[in-house]
Amino acid sequence: MRIVMKFGGTSVGSAERIAGVAEIVRGEINKGRQVVVVLSAMSGVTNALLAALKESANGNIAKLLQTRDELLKKHLDVINALVRDESARQTLIATTTDALDRFEDLCSSIYVLGEITPRATDAVGSLGERLLVPIVAQAFNDAGIPSQWLPANELIVTDDNFVAASPFMDETRAQARAKLAPLLEAGQVAVTTGFIGATKKGIITTLGRGGSDYTATIIGAALDADKVQIWTDVNGVMTTDPRIVPEAITLPEISYGEAAELSYFGAKVIHPKTILPVAAKNTPIEILNSFAPSQPGTLIVREPKNNGSPIRGITTIRNVSLVTVEGRGMQGVVGMAARVFSAVARNNISVLMFSQSSSEQNICLVIESAGAPDAVRELEREFQNEMRAQNIERVWAQDDIVILAVVGSAIKTTPGIAARVFTALADKNINVIAIAQGSSEYNLSLVVDEHQGDNAVRAIHRSIVKQ
Ligand code: ADP
Ligand code: ASP
Ligand code: MG
């Protein structure tokens, strides 16, 4: 049996946590399994790298030097705690120091240029994984788990869409089979970096924030793995973020579609693209807690067993804005919605949610806040004639809102769920700004004020999730 085990940032957040990971991996080796380990950067490292990059572009070199020192200490602490082999330890200290010198060089050139490109963002952002993986592979060897590491930029071939690259699966499959399969067959654990790929020319890319989950399924699919395990810091996919609702419950089994929907609508526990490489092959994904390895976690499969409740979860998307096109003269005009969509698409802005009132006096879009000023400008340009004729009165953006999505495949077929959701919100005096029904068969989405977001999640959870 061949498995891919991915460990997220908190699961590798300290020497102690990494020692725990080694024991989890040993458990699988002892069962005779072939194991690929995919690692995220230590928690906080990617954020620190990217923040230092940004500060460098703003002319703040002190922040860069401080970050370099902190990251060096963080990784040297792990090396000193877990690597006993003296020559391996010295080598790792040297390569870690070198990598952080390169980070300093890169950020210094950004300081001079005063501008960050997506390519530079990936060169810097990918460093956390590249720093950690050789250290953990050596720690595994020291713990008696024979391991070899390879950076995923030598495995995953991507397009050049820096910051959100997509893999070319045929090339990736060929690389992964040529480089990883022989290690596995020789009884070695193959340890690789999450989050990272490289273009055909070998330039480093990343798969998007939180992308190590996606790495695990890309490699799982490339190697025809029997399953992919995603080890994180909670007991699986839960009915909502346990940081907002501590009584959230773990879902024992969900479908690929439900997992995709939950993550797309904000459940951070897995990256939204995670299921793409494996769903067609029907490879199961397990979401497990590295802090409580004996918990059963969540199994993601094509046809899950009935979990009892028609609701799979309540998710939130933040940092979004509601853009409204409003006017009495819009009624009955053919093609309005199409023109609205085309206008925002011209600016490469994707629409997260769309709703139109039945009186057709307004059309609302929810988009990421960063794109809101551009969207308003583009829509005003698109409808300048209608605005002059006062058929459209205004185009405006409302910030500080949050999308809530109630997700579950049975939502459409179970009467009364929407009523319970709206009653729960009304009871708490929470105003619903916009609704989108059936944006897919799996969910009901609504928009509320940002400051009422957490209360709204708690109210809905209490009213519709069976305890
Ligand atoms: P990792 O570093 O392991 O990739 P993440 O921080 O990316 O972990 O994702 C795990 C976090 O996702 C949890 O700590 C939890 O707060 C958050 N989360 C949000 N929604 C959910 C949900 N529906 N189920 C479980 N966790 C969720
Ligand atoms: N380290 C990367 C991030 O913080 C990837 C990941 O953790 O999955 O986004
Ligand atoms: Mg994550």
Side-chain angles (χ1 to χ4, degrees):
M1 192 186 209
R2 187 175 273 182
I3 68 170
V4 177
M5 306 173 79
K6 176 260 171 177
F7 295 89
T10 40
S11 300
V12 291
S14 65
E16 200 190 342
R17 299 296 317 141
I18 294 168
V21 164
E23 292 318 308
I24 295 173
V25 172
R26 196 196 306 279
E28 295 302 313
I29 299 294
N30 288 346
K31 290 182 203 154
R33 292 179 175 163
Q34 295 187 356
V35 176
V36 180
V37 171
V38 173
L39 300 176
S40 291
M42 295 175 80
S43 55
V45 169
T46 312
N47 282 347
L49 290 163
L50 295 175
L53 177 69
K54 199 167 163 202
E55 287 300 317
S56 304
N58 291 338
N60 179 1
I61 211 81
K63 172 80 180 171
L64 161 64
L65 298 175
Q66 183 197 336
T67 304
R68 181 195 179 281
D69 291 349
E70 283 168 6
L71 294 182
L72 186 60
K73 176 169 186 318
K74 199 175 175 89
H75 289 86
L76 292 189
D77 283 351
V78 177
I79 297 172
N80 289 326
L82 297 180
V83 179
R84 263 158 247 122
D85 180 291
E86 187 53 28
S87 96
R89 213 163 62 83
Q90 291 308 331
T91 309
L92 281 170
I93 292 173
T95 51
T96 303
T97 312
D98 273 2
L100 285 164
D101 287 346
R102 277 207 309 283
F103 160 65
E104 195 181 322
D105 292 345
L106 265 165
C107 287
S108 303
S109 51
I110 298 295
Y111 167 77
V112 175
L113 292 170
E115 191 188 7
I116 309 174
T117 60
R119 180 173 162 170
T121 303
D122 282 354
V124 170
S126 60
L127 250 171
E129 276 74 6
R130 291 191 282 149
L131 282 171
L132 185 66
V133 160
I135 301 174
V136 173
Q138 185 55 44
F140 283 1
N141 279 311
D142 266 44
I145 302 167
S147 307
Q148 279 203 36
W149 70 274
L150 257 180
N153 48 305
E154 293 178 18
L155 300 171
I156 298 181
V157 185
T158 72
D159 57 21
D160 60 2
N161 188 16
F162 293 101
V163 183
S166 296
F168 294 120
M169 278 313 286
D170 289 343
E171 286 86 343
T172 300
R173 192 170 296 114
Q175 297 258 36
R177 289 196 179 164
K179 293 177 182 164
L180 294 180
L183 295 180
L184 300 179
E185 276 147 23
Q188 301 270 326
V189 171
V191 189
T192 191
T193 51
F195 187 43
I196 301 172
T199 65
K200 288 184 180 165
K201 290 186 181 151
I203 301 160
I204 288 198
T205 54
T206 67
L207 308 173
R209 293 304 308 271
S212 299
D213 304 324
Y214 191 23
T215 307
T217 52
I218 293 170
I219 291 181
L223 291 176
D224 293 327
D226 297 284
K227 67 176 168 184
V228 174
Q229 294 183 333
I230 293 180
W231 290 85
T232 183
D233 57 5
V234 286
N235 283 341
V237 179
M238 308 180 81
T239 46
T240 194
D241 188 341
R243 282 183 228 181
I244 303 177
V245 181
E247 63 272 21
I249 4 185
T250 303
L251 299 162
E253 282 193 33
I254 55 175
S255 70
Y256 293 119
E258 288 167 334
E261 194 87 352
L262 283 165
S263 55
Y264 180 78
F265 281 94
K268 194 191 166 207
V269 63
I270 54 169
H271 185 276
K273 290 184 179 169
T274 307
I275 65 128
L276 291 179
V278 292
K281 297 171 76 95
N282 219 356
T283 312
I285 305 174
E286 290 171 350
I287 313 294
L288 297 158
N289 189 351
S290 73
F291 291 73
S294 59
Q295 288 290 321
T298 298
L299 180 65
I300 307 176
V301 285
R302 187 176 293 164
E303 284 181 14
K305 291 197 207 92
N306 189 352
N307 274 336
S309 161
I311 306 296
R312 289 297 179 259
I314 302 144
T315 59
T316 55
I317 308 183
R318 290 165 201 276
N319 302 318
V320 290
S321 297
L322 181 78
V323 175
T324 306
V325 180
E326 184 176 288
R328 288 177 208 286
M330 282 166 60
Q331 216 154 354
V333 179
V334 176
M336 282 295 298
R339 283 173 65 195
V340 167
F341 273 108
S342 313
V344 292
R346 276 201 293 280
N347 274 358
N348 245 332
I349 293 169
S350 70
V351 176
L352 301 167
M353 184 177 147
F354 172 81
S355 87
Q356 180 169 25
S357 64
S358 55
S359 65
E360 293 187 28
Q361 289 185 4
N362 68 53
I363 289 178
C364 302
L365 314 170
V366 183
I367 59 174
E368 280 180 16
S369 293
D374 284 347
V376 169
R377 208 171 309 121
E378 193 67 37
L379 288 164
E380 282 173 346
R381 194 173 310 144
E382 172 68 33
F383 293 112
Q384 53 188 317
N385 293 336
E386 287 82 355
M387 290 182 85
R388 219 170 284 133
Q390 294 188 335
N391 288 332
I392 288 181
E393 276 132 39
R394 60 177 184 150
V395 178
W396 56 293
Q398 179 178 356
D399 297 332
D400 305 322
I401 55 152
V402 54
I403 301 181
L404 307 183
V406 184
V407 179
S409 56
I411 282 180
K412 272 207 158 165
T413 52
T414 311
I417 289 189
R420 272 153 69 193
V421 167
F422 293 114
T423 308
L425 294 177
D427 285 349
K428 294 276 174 226
N429 264 328
I430 296 169
N431 180 35
V432 177
I433 301 168
I435 310 165
Q437 290 151 304
S439 65
S440 83
E441 60 179 308
Y442 290 126
N443 95 52
L444 167 72
S445 315
L446 31 105
V447 172
V448 302
D449 255 348
E450 163 99 81
H451 77 272
Q452 290 180 313
D454 287 358
N455 277 339
V457 172
R458 284 190 274 268
I460 299 174
H461 194 272
R462 203 162 302 134
S463 127
I464 62 177
V465 174
K466 284 200 196 106
Q467 294 291 330

